């Protein structure tokens, strides 16, 4: 029954994306019959893969994270907790499929960027900030202060980095938090918060969230530093390509062709997690056979789901996204204002529906609803996340058309997000910054980024295509905190009403 419920949820999430692309491809933006068929087959595979993966998260990945975090904190050894967390963060991030795809996308434009170096920098940033996030939980540091300090550092370094590389750096923060990394980070944070030193816990439940949001800062800082290093050597701008290589793959055989590579990629993604689980089972967890078998089944579900999901995304979604962006971008740049409006509106609508197809979004919203006892509804969160992502991708299309500086959006956007922390409840601030990380997952890193690259190239830009993941990651910080302010005011109004009611009755 749980499988059928998740299948129903993913169908309602992914089908709107498929419908939008199908309508456009059959009307104003033809992308070819074969590519359209590939896209539809990819969509079916995506639905099945996402369903299986979420099953694996429920019964395998989340229990590992929660039990590991709880066991590490129970040891009352802060050095051990931080050291193991660093290793976990580094290994899982290096194996994250989103990061591999993202590295390929960056190298296709910036030839001076070594993909391996970029991935290791991102992994180091994630690992370091997982440590910082867990230290925040153990030492009971205010999350708002931690986030404020982190983002001040980010923007100081951003203005030292080359402008052409800022979009890449901010995108890396969103691309990092993919289908493998997020469930484990979320579960690890919950496990640590449940049995932290002194067994004290904020009554609002904010300790259960915020780790993903803090972790997302690490790769941004690391990649900005990498950009500064490349720029100091004078090789960054010289390595920018004016055109990315087009895919030569055609026909339905691509799904069979990429299956071995994708299965290997998914296996590599799972191996660090499986290896850590084996080590922790022997030395730390010592779970009974029944629980061990259940978690093992969950890991198999996750592997199969991740493989099917990535075959669908790489076999259909990414190619269709790029071609759709090229067609609409070409018409927008040559046929007048009406086509520009259509491109922007397409980005807006895609943003509204694509965020709901992200695996990590479903993991986070389900966890929020569960840990809040149903007070914070998943559907309400999805509405606010959809609005935020819609605005983000609409802005990305504006930038593809006119090529303005990304910092003109990010600086006021993050200033607003940080300012809202003053008024938003601590729980919603933590959830908001977690949401920023999970909203920009594998579909955004593949379909949406490819769509933006295609549109940007058609409009005469290239590096302007980077920054769309950053915008998708930024808008939930604002949207969810606004939801928190509304939630808080409604709660206060209900309390006042309940107090006044007896007097009125008298």
């Amino acid at each position: 029954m749980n499988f059928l419920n998740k299948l129903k949820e993913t169908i309602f999430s992914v089908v709107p994306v498929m419908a939008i692309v199908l309508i456009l491809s059959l009307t104003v933006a033809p992308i070819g019959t074969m590519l359209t068929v590939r896209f539809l087959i990819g969509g079916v595979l995506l639905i099945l893969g996402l369903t299986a993966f979420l099953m694996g998260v429920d019964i395998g990945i989340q229990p590992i994270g929660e039990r590991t975090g709880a066991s590490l904190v129970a040891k009352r050894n802060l050095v051990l907790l931080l050291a193991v967390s660093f290793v976990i963060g580094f290994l899982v991030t290096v194996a994250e499929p989103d990061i591999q795809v993202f590295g390929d996308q960056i190298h296709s434009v910036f030839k001076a960027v070594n993909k391996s170096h970029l991935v290791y920098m991102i992994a180091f940033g994630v690992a370091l900030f997982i440590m910082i996030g867990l230290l925040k939980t153990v030492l009971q540091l205010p999350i708002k202060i931690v986030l404020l300090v982190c983002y001040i550092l980010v923007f100081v370094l951003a203005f030292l980095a080359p402008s052409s590389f800022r979009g890449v750096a901010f995108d890396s923060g969103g691309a990092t938090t993919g289908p493998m990394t997020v469930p484990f980070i979320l579960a690890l944070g919950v496990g640590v918060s449940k049995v932290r030193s002194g067994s004290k816990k904020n009554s609002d439940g904010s300790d259960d969230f915020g780790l993903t949001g803090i972790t997302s800062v690490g790769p941004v800082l690391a990649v900005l530093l990498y950009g500064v290093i490349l720029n100091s050597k004078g090789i960054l701008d010289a390595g920018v390509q004016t055109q990315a290589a087009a895919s030569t793959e055609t026909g339905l055989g691509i799904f069979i062709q990429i299956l071995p590579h994708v299965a290997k990629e998914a296996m590599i993604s799972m191996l660090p997690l499986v290896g850590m689980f084996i080590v922790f089972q022997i030395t730390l967890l010592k779970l009974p056979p029944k629980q061990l078998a259940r978690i093992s089944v969950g890991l198999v579900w996750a592997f199969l789901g991740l493989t099917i999901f990535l075959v669908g995304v790489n076999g259909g979604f990414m190619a269709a996204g790029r071609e759709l962006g090229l067609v609409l971008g070409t018409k927008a740049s040559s046929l007048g204002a009406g086509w520009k409006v259509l491109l922007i509106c397409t980005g807006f609508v895609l943003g509204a529906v694509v965020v709901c197809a992200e695996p990590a979004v479903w993991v986070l919203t389900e966890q929020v609803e569960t840990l809040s006892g149903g007070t914070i509804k998943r559907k309400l969160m999805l509405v606010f996340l959809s609005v935020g992502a819609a605005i983000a991708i609409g802005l990305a299309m504006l930038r593809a058309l006119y090529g303005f500086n990304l910092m003109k959006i990010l600086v006021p956007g993050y200033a607003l997000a940080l300012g809202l922390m003053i008024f938003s409840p601590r729980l919603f601030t933590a959830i908001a910054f977690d949401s920023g990380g999970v909203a920009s997952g594998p579909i955004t890193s593949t379909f949406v980024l490819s769509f933006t690259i295609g549109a940007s190239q058609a409009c005469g830009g290239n590096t302007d295509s980077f920054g769309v993941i950053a915008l998708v990651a930024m808008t939930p910080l604002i949207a969810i905190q606004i939801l928190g302010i509304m939630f808080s005011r409604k709660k206060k109004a209900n309390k006042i009403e309940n107090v006044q009611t007896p007097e009125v009755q008298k």
Side-chain angles (χ1 to χ4, degrees):
M1 188 63 180
N2 193 32
F3 181 87
L4 294 178
N5 288 337
K6 291 188 181 301
L7 180 62
K8 182 180 177 181
E9 290 174 351
T10 54
I11 288 174
F12 280 112
S13 299
V14 178
V15 166
V17 180
M18 297 171 65
I20 292 167
V21 176
L22 185 61
I23 291 170
L24 289 172
S25 66
L26 295 176
T27 54
V28 296
I31 60 175
T33 303
M34 183 53 67
L35 190 53
T36 302
V37 173
R38 279 174 51 189
F39 176 78
L40 294 175
I41 293 174
V44 173
L45 293 175
L46 189 150
I47 290 170
L48 295 174
L50 179 56
T51 302
F53 177 79
L54 291 175
M55 284 286 296
V57 168
D58 277 357
I59 63 178
I61 295 176
Q62 280 191 340
I64 292 174
E66 290 181 4
R67 285 171 171 79
T68 300
S71 299
L72 285 171
V73 176
K75 292 289 184 182
R76 297 292 190 267
N77 188 328
L78 185 60
V79 174
L80 176 65
L81 171 65
L82 298 181
V84 172
S85 300
F86 183 90
V87 173
I88 290 174
F90 189 88
L91 291 177
V92 171
T93 305
V94 167
E96 175 64 63
D98 282 7
I99 294 301
Q100 301 299 326
V101 174
F102 182 68
D104 288 332
Q105 297 270 34
I106 300 305
H107 184 68
S108 72
V109 175
F110 294 93
K111 285 299 180 183
V113 173
N114 182 292
K115 177 187 172 182
S116 297
H117 293 170
L118 179 68
V119 170
Y120 292 144
M121 287 295 288
I122 290 173
F124 178 82
V126 170
L128 179 62
F129 273 75
I130 283 180
M131 288 174 56
I132 293 173
L134 293 179
L135 192 63
K136 183 275 300 180
T137 301
V138 172
L139 299 181
Q140 305 178 42
L141 301 175
I143 186 170
K144 295 183 180 182
I145 300 299
V146 173
L147 289 170
L148 181 62
V149 171
C150 287
Y151 278 100
I152 288 174
L153 289 174
V154 163
F155 281 98
V156 168
L157 193 54
F159 283 101
L160 297 176
S163 59
S164 61
F165 211 63
R166 290 170 186 162
V168 174
F170 279 93
D171 277 356
S172 69
T176 301
T177 45
M180 183 56 60
T181 312
V182 167
F184 200 85
I185 291 176
L186 285 173
L188 184 63
V190 171
V192 170
S193 71
K194 281 181 178 177
V195 289
R196 70 184 184 182
S197 181
S199 300
K200 296 179 181 178
K201 191 172 186 287
N202 290 333
S203 59
D204 61 0
S206 62
D207 278 346
D208 290 331
F209 304 100
L211 181 57
T212 303
I214 293 173
T215 301
S216 298
V217 178
V220 180
L221 282 170
V223 176
L224 284 171
L225 181 60
Y226 183 49
V228 170
I229 294 170
L230 289 178
N231 194 50
S232 67
K233 296 179 180 179
I235 61 174
L236 185 59
D237 290 330
V240 176
Q241 281 196 159
T242 56
Q243 253 185 339
S247 174
T248 58
E249 300 291 346
T250 58
L252 300 182
I254 188 173
F255 293 102
I256 303 299
Q257 184 173 347
I258 67 174
L259 178 59
H261 173 73
V262 168
K264 180 181 177 182
E265 196 174 60
M267 185 172 291
I268 291 172
S269 298
M270 296 293 300
L271 280 177
L273 184 59
V274 173
M276 287 184 295
F277 175 58
I278 292 173
V279 172
F280 291 153
Q281 169 64 14
I282 295 172
T283 61
L284 193 66
L285 300 177
K286 301 183 183 344
L287 299 175
K290 187 175 181 180
Q291 291 185 23
L292 188 62
R294 179 176 172 81
I295 288 177
S296 299
V297 170
L299 292 174
V300 173
W301 272 106
F303 167 71
L304 293 175
L306 190 58
T307 301
I308 297 169
F309 179 86
L310 290 174
V311 168
V313 167
N314 289 285
F317 263 57
M318 190 146 47
R322 192 173 202 133
E323 187 63 23
L324 188 66
L326 279 168
V327 172
L328 287 176
T330 300
K331 292 185 176 183
S333 61
S334 60
L335 298 180
W339 287 96
K340 291 180 180 179
V341 172
L342 178 61
L343 178 63
I344 295 168
C345 289
T346 299
F348 189 90
V349 175
L350 281 174
V353 297
V354 162
V355 70
C356 293
E358 294 290 4
V361 167
W362 288 96
V363 174
L364 175 66
T365 53
E366 183 175 5
Q367 191 181 52
V368 169
E369 187 172 65
T370 300
L371 293 177
S372 67
T375 305
I376 306 172
K377 299 296 183 183
R378 165 189 277 189
K379 290 182 179 179
L380 187 61
M381 275 196 68
L382 288 174
V383 169
F384 275 77
L385 287 173
S386 294
V387 171
I391 294 172
I393 300 179
L395 288 171
M397 293 304 103
L398 273 173
R399 185 165 175 258
L401 286 168
Y402 300 108
F404 51 82
N405 193 320
L406 178 66
M407 302 305 287
K408 291 183 178 179
I409 305 176
L410 291 183
V411 170
Y414 273 98
L416 176 59
L418 295 173
L420 285 172
M421 291 195 304
I422 300 171
F423 308 100
S424 176
R426 182 169 47 191
L427 172 61
F428 279 88
T429 294
I431 293 172
F433 279 83
D434 276 354
S435 301
V438 304
S440 46
I443 297 179
T444 306
S445 300
T446 54
F447 179 79
V448 174
L449 182 56
S450 295
F451 176 76
T452 309
I453 288 175
S456 181
Q457 288 176 350
C459 296
N462 201 28
T463 59
D464 289 339
S465 54
F466 297 106
V468 61
I469 301 176
L471 294 174
V472 173
M474 179 191 73
T475 49
L477 312 185
I478 300 170
I480 299 300
Q481 287 193 102
I482 290 174
L483 172 62
I485 294 170
M486 294 168 58
F487 186 87
S488 178
R489 290 183 177 179
K490 183 179 179 181
K491 192 174 180 180
K492 289 179 181 178
N494 288 339
K495 283 184 178 179
I496 293 174
E497 184 178 342
N498 290 336
V499 170
Q500 292 178 345
T501 299
E503 296 180 1
V504 172
Q505 288 176 345
K506 288 180 182 179

